[in-house]
């Protein structure tokens, strides 16, 4: 029997919180929500024992607060190799989002694949990505939309592209971008990426001299508008290209109608009804405001990276933050910036909007009174989530020389005594994460 013929709706199932009712059997199991979306697939030689202390149970319980989660199963043979192969085939077929994430990831919701696709296309559009063309003829590959991004000699936007797509891949979503080829360093280390959605492949590649083809022609993919090659431009390009390339893209034509006609999920509108670049923030990224007159109680610890001191605050829910004055000292050598004179909230919002990620767009900056419980110290500060702080520090490479920027990007940077604190920390963060140094309740 083909795995595509398996009808999951006919399989036996139990409610997540009634997992003790699962049978003792060898099985492939499926974790699903009330809409039938498969969140996780696994295999086991003893189903009920596997779920006594399943490593995903607490994570799934959080989802169960808003949506009924169930476990269904398919009894299998004792052939362990066949069991593993079947599990892999089913994962590839259904692409359950939790199979692609670490258990420790702070996941609070599943991002639908169409939203992940639209968000990635929106960010690629900001980096001047263009629609090259569409090949509707499926041979060995799926029907393919070809996207291209601009490069100039050995320079280009490959680092920004890589950051955008890696941040999309961090989401708990079945849509994933794969870097299937990377040019050697001597050619610029440009990345080639692909993903697929609903039977259509999307290919993204670097394009030398793309600036000469940029125009006012726009087409849509999944409801997202991008610049596009016109039919005449594509014809001119193909006439002047090699016969080998012509053969490979013989069925390519300029894109006309949207091959993925889904409605743009518009989560952000201005007061006038026009679109603005603000994306709804996931709940775990935002702190609930304190009632007026109350202070936020936190603890703190100090990390030391290459001589740079970083104070990390922890709230009662175990979330980590860095205060604005710590960031300001590392970046500007000023311990106590003036909120009005330095336009702190406006400057932080502007800095976050420049980041090559949608993760923090719309984050609400506000001054809060904080009390550190260990020593009863009271301060007023803006709080930056620790991952946001890392993103902002890594942005420091944009102001470096070309040589230093390349060293930082490639992880080849070696700190020097005279280097500034932000450069030292930027170099370290391109290879590590502050989370590895944190003292937590479990460590």
């Amino acid at each position: 029997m083909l795995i595509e013929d398996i009808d999951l709706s006919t399989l036996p199932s139990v409610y997540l919180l009634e997992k003790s009712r699962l049978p003792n059997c060898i099985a492939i199991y499926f974790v699903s929500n009330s809409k039938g979306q498969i969140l996780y697939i696994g295999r086991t030689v003893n189903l009920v024992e596997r779920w006594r202390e399943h490593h995903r149970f607490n994570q799934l319980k959080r989802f169960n607060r808003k949506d009924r989660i169930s476990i269904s199963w398919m009894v299998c043979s004792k052939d362990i190799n066949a069991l593993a192969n079947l599990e892999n085939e089913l994962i590839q077929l259904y692409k359950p989002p939790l199979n692609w994430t670490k258990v420790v990831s702070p996941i609070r919701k599943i991002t639908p694949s169409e939203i992940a696709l639209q968000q990635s296309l929106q960010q690629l559009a900001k980096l001047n990505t263009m629609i090259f063309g569409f090949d509707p003829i499926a041979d060995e590959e799926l029907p393919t939309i070809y996207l291209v991004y601009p490069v100039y000699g050995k320079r280009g936007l490959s680092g920004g592209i890589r950051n955008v797509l890696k941040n999309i891949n961090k989401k708990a979503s079945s849509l994933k971008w794969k870097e299937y080829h990377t040019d050697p360093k001597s050619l610029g280390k440009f990345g080639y990426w692909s993903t697929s959605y609903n039977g259509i492949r999307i290919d993204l590649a670097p394009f030398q001299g793309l600036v000469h083809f940029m125009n006012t022609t726009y087409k849509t993919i999944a409801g997202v508008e991008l610049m596009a090659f016109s039919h005449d431009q594509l014809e001119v390009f193909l006439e002047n290209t090699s016969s080998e390339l012509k053969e490979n893209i013989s069925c390519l034509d300029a894109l006309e109608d949207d091959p993925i006609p889904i409605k743009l999920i518009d989560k952000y509108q201005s007061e006038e009804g026009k679109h603005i670049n603000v994306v709804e923030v996931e709940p775990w990224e935002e702190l609930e405001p304190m009632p007026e007159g109350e202070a936020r109680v936190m603890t703190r610890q100090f990390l030391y990276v290459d001589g740079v001191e970083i104070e990390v605050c922890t709230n009662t829910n175990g979330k980590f933050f860095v205060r604005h004055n710590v960031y300001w000292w590392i970046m500007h050598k000023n311990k106590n910036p003036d909120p009005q004179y330095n336009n702190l909230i406006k400057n932080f919002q502007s800095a976050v909007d420049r980041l090559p990620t949608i993760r923090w767009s719309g984050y609400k900056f506000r001054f809060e009174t904080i009390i550190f419980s260990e020593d009863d110290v009271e301060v007023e500060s803006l709080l930056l989530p620790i991952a946001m702080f890392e993103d902002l520090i890594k942005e420091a490479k944009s102001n470096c020389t070309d040589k230093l920027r390349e060293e930082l990007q490639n992880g080849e940077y070696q700190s020097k005594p005279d280097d500034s604190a932000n450069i030292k920390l930027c170099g370290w963060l391109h290879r590590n994460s502050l989370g590895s140094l944190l003292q937590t309740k479990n460590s």
Side-chain angles (χ1 to χ4, degrees), residues 238-280:
L238 293 176
E239 284 176 9
N240 295 284
T241 194
S242 66
S243 57
E244 182 182 353
L245 180 58
K246 282 183 184 178
E247 185 177 344
N248 290 337
I249 54 176
S250 58
C251 297
L252 187 70
D253 202 353
L255 183 70
E256 295 299 334
D257 298 325
D258 191 340
I260 308 175
I262 56 177
K263 184 179 179 182
L264 181 63
I265 292 145
D266 185 16
K267 296 183 177 182
Y268 36 90
Q269 288 190 340
S270 64
E271 294 178 355
E272 295 81 13
K274 296 180 180 179
H275 302 324
I276 57 174
N277 250 346
V278 179
V279 176
E280 184 181 24

Side-chain angles (χ1 to χ4, degrees), residues 111-123:
T111 301
S113 56
E114 63 270 19
I115 293 180
L117 175 62
Q118 289 178 336
Q119 289 175 342
S120 54
L121 292 173
Q122 287 169 329
Q123 294 302 305

Side-chain angles (χ1 to χ4, degrees), residues 131-149:
I131 302 168
F132 184 57
F134 179 50
D135 186 350
I137 305 301
D139 189 5
E140 294 182 1
E141 292 282 3
L142 298 170
T144 300
I145 303 167
Y146 289 94
L147 305 179
V148 287
Y149 65 89

Side-chain angles (χ1 to χ4, degrees), residues 11-25:
L11 297 179
S13 66
V14 299
Y15 175 45
L16 177 70
L17 301 185
E18 297 175 350
K19 57 189 176 74
S20 60
R21 295 174 50 204
L22 289 166
N24 177 355
C25 65

Side-chain angles (χ1 to χ4, degrees), residues 60-108:
L60 292 166
K61 272 205 308 185
R62 289 199 295 269
F63 294 131
N64 193 66
R65 294 171 188 167
K66 295 183 178 180
D67 196 359
R68 186 180 176 89
I69 304 298
S70 61
I71 307 165
S72 55
W73 67 93
M74 180 172 62
V75 178
C76 299
S77 70
K78 296 180 180 180
D79 187 336
I80 300 301
N81 291 331
L83 189 68
N85 291 335
L86 179 58
E87 179 197 31
N88 289 332
E89 289 181 30
L90 288 164
I91 289 173
Q92 291 302 318
L93 176 64
Y94 291 105
K95 295 181 173 59
L98 295 188
N99 282 84
W100 302 87
T101 62
K102 296 179 180 178
V103 183
V104 296
S105 297
I107 298 170
R108 293 294 182 272

Side-chain angles (χ1 to χ4, degrees), residues 271-416:
E271 294 178 355
E272 295 81 13
K274 296 180 180 179
H275 302 324
I276 57 174
N277 250 346
V278 179
V279 176
E280 184 181 24
V281 178
E282 295 185 5
W284 67 271
E285 295 173 346
E286 188 69 86
L287 272 175
E288 290 296 323
M290 297 296 293
E292 187 175 355
E294 293 189 19
R296 191 180 298 280
V297 178
M298 306 188 86
T299 59
R300 58 178 167 175
Q301 55 185 291
F302 294 89
L303 310 179
Y304 296 89
V305 174
D306 205 356
V308 182
E309 181 183 83
I310 307 155
E311 175 199 77
V312 178
C313 311
T314 311
N315 73 345
T316 52
N317 292 330
K319 297 178 182 179
F320 298 105
F321 298 85
V322 176
R323 293 193 293 133
H324 78 277
N325 58 305
V326 175
Y327 169 82
W328 212 262
W329 168 248
I330 292 172
M331 294 299 298
H332 306 293
K333 297 293 185 182
N334 181 356
K335 287 187 175 179
N336 297 298
D338 183 86
Q340 282 73 43
Y341 178 77
N342 294 110
N343 291 315
L344 290 183
I345 291 179
K346 183 178 179 180
N347 276 324
F348 273 117
Q349 188 61 61
S350 175
V352 166
D353 288 343
R354 291 196 308 270
L355 293 178
T357 172
I358 59 173
R359 176 166 45 166
W360 304 114
S361 295
Y363 187 86
K364 296 179 179 63
F365 294 95
R366 52 180 174 263
F367 277 93
E368 299 194 43
T369 301
I370 302 166
I371 295 178
F372 293 113
S373 56
E374 308 100 318
D375 40 21
D376 201 28
V377 172
E378 183 174 309
V379 296
E380 187 177 50
S381 191
L382 296 167
L383 290 172
L384 314 178
I386 191 169
M388 179 193 287
F389 171 75
E390 292 184 350
D391 286 344
L392 288 169
I393 292 294
K394 285 189 284 189
E395 190 202 20
K397 69 177 184 295
S398 61
N399 298 319
C400 301
T401 64
D402 291 346
K403 181 180 178 182
L404 181 54
R405 187 185 304 116
E406 185 176 356
E407 289 178 355
L408 290 166
Q409 187 67 47
N410 297 335
E412 299 170 353
Y413 167 76
Q414 297 293 326
S415 67
K416 305 170 189 65

